Amino acid sequence: MWDWGSAAFNAVIVTFVFSVYLTDSVGADLDSALTPATWLSISIALAGFVIAVTAPVMGQRADRGGRRRRSLAIWTYLTVALTALMFLVDSDAPHPWFFVGLLLLALGSITFEFAEVSYFAMLRQVSTPATVGRVSGFGWAMGYFGGIFLLLTAFLGFISGDGDERGLLGISTDGGLNVRLVCLVAAVWFAVFALPVLRSVPENRPRGRKGDDDEAGFAESYRILWRDLKALWRRDPRTVKFLVASAIFRDGLAGVFTFGAILAVTVYGLAPGDVLLFGVAANVVAALGAAVAGVVDDLVGPKAVIIGSLAAMLGTMTVLLFVDGTAMFWLFGLLMCLFVGPAQSASRSFLARLAPPGSDGQMFGLYATTGRAVSFLAPALFGLFTWGFGTDRAGIAGIALVLLVGLLLLLPVRTPTRAESSGVWAP
């Protein structure tokens, strides 16, 4: 249910609705040397920097103090509050509200990522060694389905149509009211569906006896983090290697969704209105793939799922480099999306199996940090290939190269043993 609810921020606020409203409507007449999209990228990049340098410590402190559930509640409902405040961003008074909107979006990105660190760290609390893969896969699939349901609700109820009143509810477009109301719906959606995990999952217990580390301040937590990282490298360097490999292929997976809509229109001829339909279909197949792969994960291990998914995606992307037309894009584009969810879900379960007992939050904090540290790769290579070859189609090869590098780095990383997955952690 938390995955289902969190789609309100991922799908509605960051990807399809609020960010588009902010750049296309609120910032349309911005008097600045930088475009609204550039301002948006700067704000998100700054938020990413904050996440990169703080996420591991935030997770570590929640682990150490036995406050993982409380941490999840705090960061979730701060995200809900920031989402609700986006209702105030009026497109009829663009200049002050554009930058307010940027600030709310950046702060929301930070609080949401912190919430995910605590939420991911709960995976072993709600699964057994035999079910961690399917639990992760089911959760990831629920996130996709929640995004689909809420996007369709927002589109049909508040956004579809033309004129001064939009959607089946006939909401006025004055000052962007119809879009701003979607932000309130998203906030309520997330607030309600975050409740089950907070009511059902007990707080994690602090590891061991109370010691000096439990009283450490925020600055001292960085020294503890560095100490634990060095110890982790000495005991089991494959965890560090996995964090690096997963950061790279996860950036490639993000690039598939980031640039997929652009390629659909500019290369394969989809009408802009059909892109939303493709997006819904892509989320459906990704969700089904994640759910099925979760069962496979428990049978053969997460590494096999990730390798199989990345290899299949590389195959379909190779085909897409040479085919044309909307039919070919629908066929091979959806086939590629079928393997995105499994790779994401199995990556989460792989780290959950590797993490030393009591350090799940810190490990998933590092998971967030390493992902942010290389988040420039897919956009940079996409741009480099499109510029170098003079066509958007070549960008597919740039994203595929990121996936290939991540796959090659993953190959030598040993799969966690059943003893390690059971919490008997040993090198």
Side-chain angles (χ1 to χ4, degrees):
M1 288 293 97
W2 194 93
D3 275 306
W4 171 280
S6 69
F9 189 79
N10 272 331
V12 173
I13 300 303
V14 175
T15 306
F16 289 109
V17 180
F18 183 74
S19 60
V20 176
Y21 165 72
L22 195 61
T23 55
D24 287 356
S25 298
V26 184
D29 299 321
L30 187 67
D31 184 16
S32 170
L34 301 178
T35 66
T38 302
W39 277 112
L40 177 64
S41 66
I42 291 172
S43 65
I44 296 299
L46 290 173
F49 174 77
V50 173
I51 293 165
V53 299
T54 57
V57 168
M58 300 303 296
Q60 173 206 117
R61 291 171 67 81
D63 287 338
R64 200 169 59 229
R67 299 185 296 267
R68 191 176 293 154
R69 185 177 65 180
R70 188 175 76 177
S71 176
L72 175 62
I74 290 171
W75 297 119
T76 294
Y77 285 101
L78 280 175
T79 306
V80 167
L82 290 165
T83 302
L85 287 173
M86 292 174 189
F87 173 79
L88 302 175
V89 180
D90 192 330
S91 62
D92 285 346
H95 298 301
W97 286 114
F98 174 72
F99 292 101
V100 171
L102 288 179
L103 178 63
L104 292 173
L105 190 59
L107 291 175
S109 298
I110 295 169
T111 58
F112 181 77
E113 194 86 39
F114 287 166
E116 276 201 330
V117 168
S118 294
Y119 175 68
F120 286 3
M122 285 182 167
L123 182 54
R124 288 201 294 196
Q125 292 178 247
V126 296
S127 63
T128 68
T131 63
V132 63
R134 72 192 69 180
V135 170
S136 178
F138 179 73
W140 213 281
M142 288 293 287
Y144 281 120
F145 283 127
I148 294 163
F149 189 90
L150 188 54
L151 280 173
L152 288 176
T153 299
F155 179 76
L156 295 174
F158 299 86
I159 297 174
S160 63
D162 299 308
D164 295 333
E165 295 183 348
R166 301 288 179 88
L168 297 177
L169 298 177
I171 306 299
S172 171
T173 60
D174 290 344
L177 178 62
N178 61 324
V179 176
R180 291 157 53 205
L181 283 173
V182 171
C183 294
L184 288 182
V185 172
V188 173
W189 178 278
F190 196 5
V192 170
F193 289 109
L195 289 173
V197 69
L198 299 175
R199 292 175 58 88
S200 302
V201 181
E203 189 62 275
N204 65 307
R205 295 180 180 178
R207 53 183 178 184
R209 294 180 299 177
K210 190 176 182 65
D212 294 339
D213 286 356
D214 298 302
E215 303 297 332
F218 195 84
E220 179 66 10
S221 294
Y222 283 95
R223 183 192 64 79
I224 297 169
L225 172 64
W226 180 244
R227 180 199 68 192
D228 290 350
L229 275 175
K230 290 190 292 185
L232 181 64
W233 176 259
R234 288 194 301 268
R235 288 183 295 181
D236 195 8
R238 69 184 164 155
T239 303
V240 180
K241 294 176 182 177
F242 173 74
L243 287 170
V244 173
S246 73
I248 293 174
F249 71 68
R250 283 185 288 128
D251 188 51
L253 297 174
V256 169
F257 279 106
T258 301
F259 299 105
I262 298 172
L263 294 170
V265 174
T266 63
V267 176
Y268 299 98
L270 261 71
D274 291 337
V275 172
L276 178 61
L277 296 178
F278 180 83
V280 170
N283 276 274
V284 169
V285 298
L288 294 174
V292 173
V295 178
V296 179
D297 181 329
D298 288 327
L299 294 175
V300 301
K303 181 179 176 180
V305 173
I306 298 171
I307 290 175
S309 298
L310 295 181
M313 290 182 68
L314 288 169
T316 55
M317 293 173 86
T318 301
V319 174
L320 283 170
L321 273 172
F322 298 101
V323 299
D324 291 297
T326 58
M328 289 294 98
F329 181 79
W330 273 92
L331 175 60
F332 290 101
L334 289 180
L335 184 60
M336 179 176 62
C337 290
L338 180 65
F339 297 100
V340 174
Q344 291 172 320
S345 171
S347 179
R348 177 167 68 178
S349 73
F350 197 116
L351 185 60
R353 297 172 193 268
L354 277 177
S359 297
D360 303 71
Q362 180 171 293
M363 288 299 102
F364 278 106
L366 287 169
Y367 190 73
T369 291
T370 51
R372 289 288 180 170
V374 300
S375 60
F376 65 91
L377 282 177
L381 285 175
F382 180 88
L384 179 63
F385 274 68
T386 55
W387 170 78
F389 290 91
T391 172
D392 286 353
R393 182 189 295 271
I396 299 172
I399 298 174
L401 181 59
V402 177
L403 292 175
L404 179 61
V405 172
L407 172 59
L408 293 176
L409 289 174
L410 178 66
L411 289 176
V413 179
R414 182 167 56 85
T415 303
T417 66
R418 285 199 173 273
E420 290 162 336
S421 299
S422 300
V424 185
W425 192 81

